[in-house]
Amino acid sequence: MIAKRLLRFAEGARRHIAVSVAAQWLGLLAGIAATIAISRLIGQIAAGDASLASLVLTLAAGGAAALLRAVCTTAASRAAFRASSGVKRMFRERVYQKLLELGGAYTETLSTADALQTATEGVDQLEVYFAKYIPQFFYSMIAPVTLFIVIAPLDLRAGLALLVCAPLIPALLLMIGKMAGGMARRQLGSYISLGDRFLENIQGMTALKVYSADGARQKDMAREAEGFRQSTMRVLRMQLASIIVMDIVAFGGAALGVILAALAVRGGAPLSHGLIIALLSAEFFIPLRQLGSLFHVSMNGVAASERMFRLLDTQLPPDGEKTVPMGGIRIIFNDMSFTYPGAERPALDGVTLELPAVGLVSLVGASGSGKSTVAAVLSGARRGYIGSVSAGGVELRDISRVCLQGSVTLVPHDGYVFKGTLAENLRLARPDATDGELISALERVRLWDFFAAMDGLLAEISERGANLSGGQRQRLCLARALLRDVDIYIFDEATSNIDPESEAAIMDAVRGLSASKTVLLITHRLANATASDMIYLLDNGRVTESGTHDALLALGGLYARLYGEQRELERVSAGQSS
């Protein structure tokens, strides 16, 4: 009935939960006191012994008890809120930190929609669990014992009967929990699957419209939505059936208490005793009944927490502790191999290459040859390699992630541009950069004139840079990378699918960087690699050719053939366009 790990994980909430339970218990004591006072007054009235003083005293006691109970209820709610808000904040921080640590590799553990749901709605599901269910659980254990202590001296038989009936509700919850837990997990899985499909369709809306596939996708989503509706209805039917059973137990137990109270009075017990037993019999089962009503809602929180723990339990590669010297870092790959988890063959197999401390090195090859995997290893995104990769004489796996991130900048082919101003996008790389430094970076990629004609650094950028061309987005990402001013730059197909003007601007910036930095250019367009100090050709994860452009042409191997084919294609294309 309680997720022990979830409770252990939220140690900071325990004090607030204890305060909430204590406040509810004090409220219960106040209610018991008011019940006793009123029952005795009614007994006195029935016996003809009531007086004005006893009436005033009873009303005062009842009012004070009601006020105390209201105060206790408010205090319990506030403490429970503090418990849940603290837990939610802690979980969100840990989930976000874990996603940052995993980087792009988080998709190996869960989908983007799953990550979004886990960090938002999934965490919100814990509010009911910690604010209501957990305090109610412990209060439900204390309340029946407290009431038994009050009732037993008046009528032991009635006290024992109520005490025996009370555990029936938790027993029912245990049996229901085994089925409800699985249903809640399946419902959550169906919901996340629907969210996955919805997010994918929104992101790919343009492609769906182009290929007139939106109707088919709509039908697929309708089927998934129907599956989610059915799983939700199964959960609701289970909830309704269990609530009916618990109501039968609760009302039956309360009725039993009333019957026993009546028998006690008939057997000679004072009327006040009978009234106390009858009134407290209903109170006996209310906490457990409320626990039952919260149980099913709390199962959603437990199901969500299981997905959170699956993410938080994801093992990170061991982090190194060493640092690399600043400025002039020489990179050496020596017989390095890498295999992706679950893959049958290695993506890289015995790769040996060298990046000088200053200069331009190009990595070329067909799609799927392993070029981007080299970038992933060098940037630290992938660490489970075999062999050796050293930076400044220090093994890459021994360098701390923080140090490596401060030394390497990767510019991918699809760099992300955020919604906001131009300055906000650029200052992601250097928050303390001056306006002059931002403008200088934009001038280096030939982009400042375009923005200067708009609102300058205050120009608004749409989500994903939708109000920019593909080339402008890529140049903006390059300008942001230049602001970081690190020792090693990796350009992974940074000039793919952009206009000639943007390609020329990017290549000029890349060549300029190589005069003072270590630059690795990964490209499928061999014309961009011709001015490189060294070119490595990857084929099926192996370096099969290396040398300068002229040397590789003279070799007459695969590089020369690919270069010739690309030149011919460009010549034909230029002829057709003219």
Side-chain angles (χ1 to χ4, degrees):
M1 293 177 68
I2 285 187
K4 294 181 180 178
R5 184 183 180 185
L6 191 56
L7 197 59
R8 288 195 303 268
F9 205 74
E11 292 184 1
R14 293 181 182 179
R15 179 172 61 88
H16 298 300
I17 291 173
V19 170
S20 178
V21 174
Q24 289 186 75
W25 184 67
L26 288 175
L28 174 65
L29 294 180
I32 292 172
T35 300
I36 293 173
I38 293 171
S39 298
R40 286 181 175 173
L41 177 62
I42 294 174
Q44 290 173 359
I45 293 173
D49 297 333
S51 63
L52 181 60
S54 63
L55 177 61
V56 172
L57 184 61
T58 300
L59 291 175
L67 179 61
L68 177 59
R69 191 157 194 173
V71 171
C72 290
T73 300
T74 302
S77 298
R78 288 181 176 177
F81 172 76
R82 293 190 188 99
S84 65
S85 60
V87 169
K88 286 165 60 179
R89 182 172 58 253
M90 180 269 295
F91 262 105
R92 280 206 172 97
E93 289 173 353
R94 295 203 180 187
V95 167
Y96 182 64
Q97 184 61 37
K98 192 68 174 186
L99 290 173
L100 287 178
E101 292 172 354
L102 290 171
Y106 79 88
T107 53
E108 296 178 5
T109 304
L110 74 174
S111 65
T112 300
D114 197 349
L116 181 63
Q117 195 278 339
T118 297
T120 54
E121 294 179 55
V123 174
D124 286 336
Q125 294 281 4
L126 297 176
E127 181 171 356
V128 174
Y129 188 81
F130 281 96
K132 296 181 179 180
Y133 178 75
I134 291 296
Q136 188 65 33
F137 176 85
F138 289 109
Y139 173 64
S140 298
M141 302 299 106
I142 297 172
V145 176
T146 303
L147 291 167
F148 171 76
I149 293 173
V150 174
I151 293 174
L154 304 179
D155 190 316
L156 182 60
R157 181 179 59 176
L160 289 173
L162 293 171
L163 193 63
V164 169
C165 291
L168 292 177
I169 291 180
L172 285 170
L173 292 178
L174 285 173
M175 290 188 293
I176 294 169
K178 295 180 180 180
M179 295 180 287
M183 286 186 175
R185 283 188 288 271
R186 287 190 291 273
Q187 181 198 23
L188 181 60
S190 177
Y191 176 65
I192 290 175
S193 176
L194 181 61
D196 268 335
R197 180 60 62 90
F198 179 75
L199 180 62
E200 184 182 41
N201 289 343
I202 290 295
Q203 292 175 334
M205 184 64 70
T206 301
L208 293 177
K209 287 293 185 182
V210 168
Y211 296 106
S212 300
D214 49 324
R217 282 287 180 145
Q218 181 183 8
K219 292 178 181 178
D220 289 341
M221 274 204 67
R223 281 194 293 271
E224 290 205 30
E226 176 61 20
F228 173 62
R229 186 192 69 82
Q230 291 179 0
S231 65
T232 301
M233 293 306 297
R234 283 192 291 270
V235 171
L236 292 175
R237 283 194 293 269
M238 170 65 73
Q239 291 180 2
L240 181 60
S242 60
I243 288 173
I244 290 173
V245 173
M246 285 186 290
D247 283 345
I248 292 173
V249 174
F251 293 138
L256 176 62
V258 173
I259 292 172
L260 292 174
L263 292 174
V265 173
R266 185 177 181 182
L271 177 61
S272 60
H273 288 189
L275 289 173
I276 292 171
I277 296 171
L279 294 173
L280 294 184
S281 294
E283 191 75 31
F284 214 96
F285 294 95
I286 289 176
L288 292 166
R289 172 65 183 78
Q290 291 174 338
L291 178 68
S293 65
L294 293 170
F295 176 75
H296 295 284
V297 182
S298 73
M299 293 304 296
N300 294 332
V302 173
S305 72
E306 290 174 354
R307 303 184 83 92
M308 289 181 219
F309 286 130
R310 189 180 70 182
L311 171 64
L312 296 176
D313 289 341
T314 302
Q315 295 295 317
L316 293 170
D319 194 11
E321 298 179 353
K322 296 182 179 180
T323 59
V324 293
M326 298 296 293
I329 301 175
R330 182 184 177 201
I331 308 295
I332 299 176
F333 285 66
N334 186 16
D335 195 27
M336 189 275 286
S337 300
F338 180 85
T339 304
Y340 286 97
E344 295 183 357
R345 67 180 185 86
L348 297 173
D349 188 7
V351 170
T352 296
L353 56 84
E354 180 179 336
L355 309 181
V358 174
L360 174 61
V361 174
S362 289
L363 195 60
V364 300
S367 177
S369 60
K371 303 187 299 297
S372 294
T373 304
V374 171
V377 170
L378 182 55
S379 64
R382 299 287 181 180
R383 288 209 167 197
Y385 62 85
I386 300 172
S388 175
V389 181
S390 63
V394 182
E395 188 63 34
L396 202 68
R397 62 171 63 92
D398 297 331
I399 300 173
S400 71
R401 290 188 185 86
V402 173
C403 177
L404 193 60
Q405 289 169 358
S407 302
V408 180
T409 290
L410 172 64
V411 182
H413 71 279
D414 57 349
Y416 198 93
V417 177
F418 294 85
K419 178 179 173 60
T421 67
L422 174 61
E424 289 169 346
N425 266 277
L426 291 171
R427 286 197 170 101
L428 290 173
R430 269 184 58 199
D432 61 343
T434 65
D435 288 354
E437 289 171 325
L438 301 185
I439 294 172
S440 176
L442 291 168
E443 288 175 339
R444 291 174 68 182
V445 297
R446 305 178 195 173
L447 202 55
W448 172 242
D449 289 343
F450 171 77
F451 284 110
M454 300 169 61
D455 293 325
L457 295 176
L458 297 179
E460 286 291 331
I461 307 297
S462 300
E463 183 180 2
R464 293 178 176 266
N467 58 338
L468 303 177
S469 70
Q472 289 168 337
R473 283 195 297 270
Q474 195 64 7
R475 280 190 276 170
L476 176 55
C477 291
L478 175 56
R480 189 167 59 193
L482 295 176
L483 280 168
R484 287 201 73 195
D485 192 26
V486 296
D487 295 313
I488 305 167
Y489 283 89
I490 306 170
F491 295 91
D492 188 1
E493 301 287 5
T495 60
S496 64
N497 301 319
I498 59 175
D499 57 278
E501 178 188 355
S502 294
E503 182 178 13
I506 290 174
M507 287 309 304
D508 283 349
V510 169
R511 295 185 191 103
L513 268 178
S514 66
S516 58
K517 306 289 184 181
T518 300
V519 178
L520 175 62
L521 175 66
I522 296 173
T523 180
H524 69 282
R525 191 164 184 270
L526 303 187
N528 288 331
T530 56
S532 302
D533 300 308
M534 177 63 73
I535 300 171
Y536 292 94
L537 174 68
L538 274 179
D539 186 24
N540 290 322
R542 291 176 173 270
V543 175
T544 57
E545 298 177 23
S546 62
T548 62
H549 172 69
D550 292 338
L552 290 175
L553 286 182
L555 184 65
L558 179 59
Y559 177 88
R561 180 168 63 82
L562 291 174
Y563 182 75
E565 291 174 354
Q566 288 187 12
R567 292 278 295 186
E568 180 63 20
L569 285 172
E570 290 174 1
R571 185 186 65 79
V572 172
S573 177
Q576 291 176 345
S577 62
S578 62

